[in-house]
Amino acid sequence: MKQILFSISFMLIATFSFSQINHDFEGVTGCSHSKAHIGQDFGRYLYNWQSEYMDDYDVTFYFLDIEVTSTSLFIQGNSTMNGIALVNLDTFAIELKSFQTITQLLFNGVDYTSSITRVDDNVIVPVTEIVAGDSFSAQIFYNGIPPTGGFFSGVSNGTSPYGKGVTWTLSEPFAASDWFPVKQDLEDKADSVWVFLTTSSDNMAGSQGILTDVVDLGNGYSRYEWKSNYPIDYYLISFAVSEYQEYNVYAHPEEMGGDSVLIQNFIYDDPQSLAQNKAGIDETAPMIELFSDLYILYPFWEEKYGHCLTPLGGGMEHQTMTTIGGFSFGLVSHELGHMWFGDNVTCATWSDIWINEGFATYSNYLAEEFIHGWSSGQSFIKGAQDYAMSAAGGSTYIPIDQIYPGNEGRIFSGRLTYYKGAAIVHTLRHEIQDDDLFFSVMETFQTDFTDSTATGEDFKNTAEEVTGMDFGQFFDQWYYGEGYPIYDIEFYNMDGGNYFDILQTTSASTPFFDMIMEMRLYFNDGTDKLISFHQNENFISHSLYTGKEVVYIDVDPNDWTMEKVASIAVAIKESQSEMTFKIGQSQVSDDVTLYFSNKENSNKNITITDISGKVVYNEQTEISEFKINTSFLTTGVYIIRASDGESTFVKRFVK
């Protein structure tokens, strides 16, 4: 999902588009709930505000037969849910907001309306017991007017640029119960869904799946009958209704051998609407062909892909028919990317919304790279990295205690969920160092979890299985951890050799990022060379012989990784020594950390003097990473010296 909001980051907004988001620049949406974790398995769990009885069955089918209008939020009709009991079931529970009035509830054909209890948003009904494994059908007749509350409300109403009413739904993450009886459990996908929409014959009504019929009901009303046979998560069920016209194009993925995917678009019924949006819609076809090549064949190829145009400020990846506010390249590619990441494979918990939004944002990057070219892709990913680093901390993984209604802004943080999420995927691609292998990971993940749900751990396990590499530390530092690396680099040339002292500190609680880094070296003869090194400790020394003098260094010139460079300095040394050190920070509050390049347990004498030359600290150490508590020092400038008996190195810091 992507929402476009405006704040201080105007240039980034111009560069990127978002699916339902609540960016800090801002906008997004996510998924979550919490019942109980079983060992290392998340298992099936519900939000703590949901009835425990909803964990007693699996949903197999939704059938919504409702009346909708383009001029108001009012909904009336009935919804049927089919399911299978997981235990001996004597109490049926479902979610429906209290502003929806239930006029009748049938369970297996028996009227239980008089037995309904409504507790908050839960509808609870004692029923004649059915045994575990048996199927059931519940039909609820209801009507009501959902409140409109902006991006995260279930139903919204607005006006098109041509003065016509538009009504549309957006259920992610917790708002499906605004407009139909539902079980909001990410891991319980329905096997299929029908949505029948009765509306004025002046309107057209879009939804997921195939439009199997448009029935003229007489009296100026028509019923649009949409049916989908693909598994679907509750929040991806949708409708949009307005005075639309239909404009269709086709994609031809190579794997389909000449067959095609329908791209069905409901846009405003005005000649200017088609003129303004045709080019953007037409670009959808090469995107489907690209993602089908990079991932797997478009997952819903037997039905369609499409868009319903609404006044939504962004887009929402409703399965097979995105609700969208416009047809910019970035927005279309992001929402289309969700058909693989979010719809075919859905996050199993809202904590793992990265599975949806991080990968959809990276799909936007891949569309830029492969359709518009490498430099366009670089502009996108550099902007994403810079935005992710616009604050020091925050993890892409969302702790479970931060998942609740009212905190959608954290779930759909543009900085952390979308752009740091995409930057993590890009860095993983660099760590693998083999594009064929990287895209094999993407394909395997889509294949293994197709029509299902997955966590970040599931993706890590897939990456490890496909590549044979260990990504435990990678995920600890990038996905679960916070912040980004900061580099201070000193280099010097001597006798044709090039020597580099590279110190990595970090912006937040993650103490170290183990990563492959690149630098482009520029020499005094006008040539350059790209080198790669493994930053496996906070302080490393690197050297190579070129016979030329380095005059300039460009760190991460191809923007593969997310980091900031605090300083690059030329050092002057008369001799090569085994003992050098770097200070973790030149301005300190309580602690200063010394990182020594020689990892041997050699004895080093450490002294600190104030600017008058008075020794205020003296200590010896044999360790390579030595922390000094400086709380005893007053504010001022200090000199720190380290000597191993043969060489002495001096640094300056400010308390």
Side-chain angles (χ1 to χ4, degrees), residues 1-6 13 16-23 26-29 150-151 156 168 170 268 309-316 323-326 328 331 335 418:
M1 167 167 76
K2 203 167 189 179
Q3 177 186 11
I4 301 177
L5 304 180
F6 295 91
I13 292 178
F16 308 124
S17 49
F18 316 100
S19 124
Q20 182 180 336
I21 32 188
N22 185 334
H23 292 14
E26 271 229 341
V28 190
T29 310
F151 206 78
S156 296
W168 70 95
L170 199 163
Y268 303 132
L309 187 59
T310 73
L312 174 66
M316 176 60 212
T323 304
I324 203 161
S328 69
L331 185 57
E335 301 304 333
Y418 288 65

Side-chain angles (χ1 to χ4, degrees), residues 178-440:
D178 280 10
W179 65 283
F180 72 98
V182 64
K183 176 184 175 182
Q184 295 188 123
D185 181 352
L186 285 168
E187 294 190 280
D188 192 2
K189 287 189 173 184
D191 298 329
S192 57
V193 60
W194 293 2
V195 176
F196 287 10
L197 301 163
T198 297
T199 188
S200 166
S201 295
D202 293 332
N203 294 330
M204 296 175 67
S207 190
Q208 64 286 310
I210 296 173
L211 182 58
T212 58
D213 202 359
V214 180
V215 180
D216 185 353
L217 301 175
N219 299 320
Y221 285 87
S222 299
R223 184 174 63 236
Y224 284 74
E225 299 183 353
W226 294 91
K227 297 180 180 180
S228 176
N229 289 319
Y230 285 101
I232 187 169
D233 231 314
Y234 68 89
Y235 71 91
L236 298 170
I237 298 170
S238 70
F239 75 80
V241 57
S242 186
E243 292 188 25
Y244 286 129
Q245 61 176 310
E246 186 173 351
Y247 170 66
N248 299 331
V249 294
Y250 294 86
H252 298 86
E254 184 177 354
E255 187 176 335
M256 295 185 68
D259 205 348
S260 60
V261 175
L262 168 65
I263 305 171
Q264 186 175 24
N265 304 279
F266 284 10
I267 61 175
Y268 303 132
D269 189 17
D270 188 282
Q272 287 302 310
S273 181
L274 180 58
Q276 291 171 1
N277 294 303
K278 182 180 183 300
I281 294 171
D282 291 350
E283 285 189 301
T284 312
M287 294 179 193
I288 289 179
E289 293 159 6
L290 172 66
F291 295 157
S292 293
D293 183 51
L294 295 180
Y295 304 151
I296 61 172
L297 178 64
Y298 172 66
F300 311 108
W301 62 271
E302 291 183 310
E303 293 182 352
K304 72 166 189 311
Y305 183 61
H307 305 94
C308 282
L309 187 59
T310 73
L312 174 66
M316 176 60 212
E317 64 274 12
H318 294 128
Q319 193 158 300
T320 75
M321 200 159 201
T322 286
T323 304
I324 203 161
F327 292 95
S328 69
F329 185 89
L331 185 57
V332 171
S333 60
H334 180 107
E335 301 304 333
L336 175 61
H338 271 306
M339 295 302 112
W340 286 264
F341 293 94
D343 293 19
N344 184 44
V345 182
T346 308
C347 61
T349 79
W350 290 117
S351 293
D352 293 285
I353 185 63
W354 176 62
I355 293 296
N356 295 22
E357 300 299 351
F359 284 84
T361 305
Y362 198 65
S363 297
N364 186 172
Y365 162 78
L366 291 172
E368 293 286 355
E369 177 187 342
F370 285 92
I371 295 176
H372 289 163
W374 176 256
S375 61
S376 181
Q378 291 309 98
S379 296
F380 181 96
I381 202 65
K382 183 63 167 63
Q385 293 165 345
D386 288 347
Y387 182 51
M389 295 187 294
S390 62
S395 65
T396 297
Y397 176 82
I398 306 168
I400 190 66
D401 61 0
Q402 296 180 23
I403 305 292
Y404 54 86
N407 203 33
E408 289 89 351
R410 172 62 183 97
I411 300 170
F412 295 97
S413 163
R415 184 176 72 85
L416 298 173
T417 302
Y418 288 65
Y419 292 109
K420 184 178 179 184
I424 290 171
V425 182
H426 198 58
T427 300
L428 179 69
R429 181 179 170 187
H430 184 56
E431 288 289 317
I432 293 173
Q433 293 280 294
D434 183 328
D435 262 10
D436 289 341
L437 200 55
F438 169 76
F439 286 111
S440 179

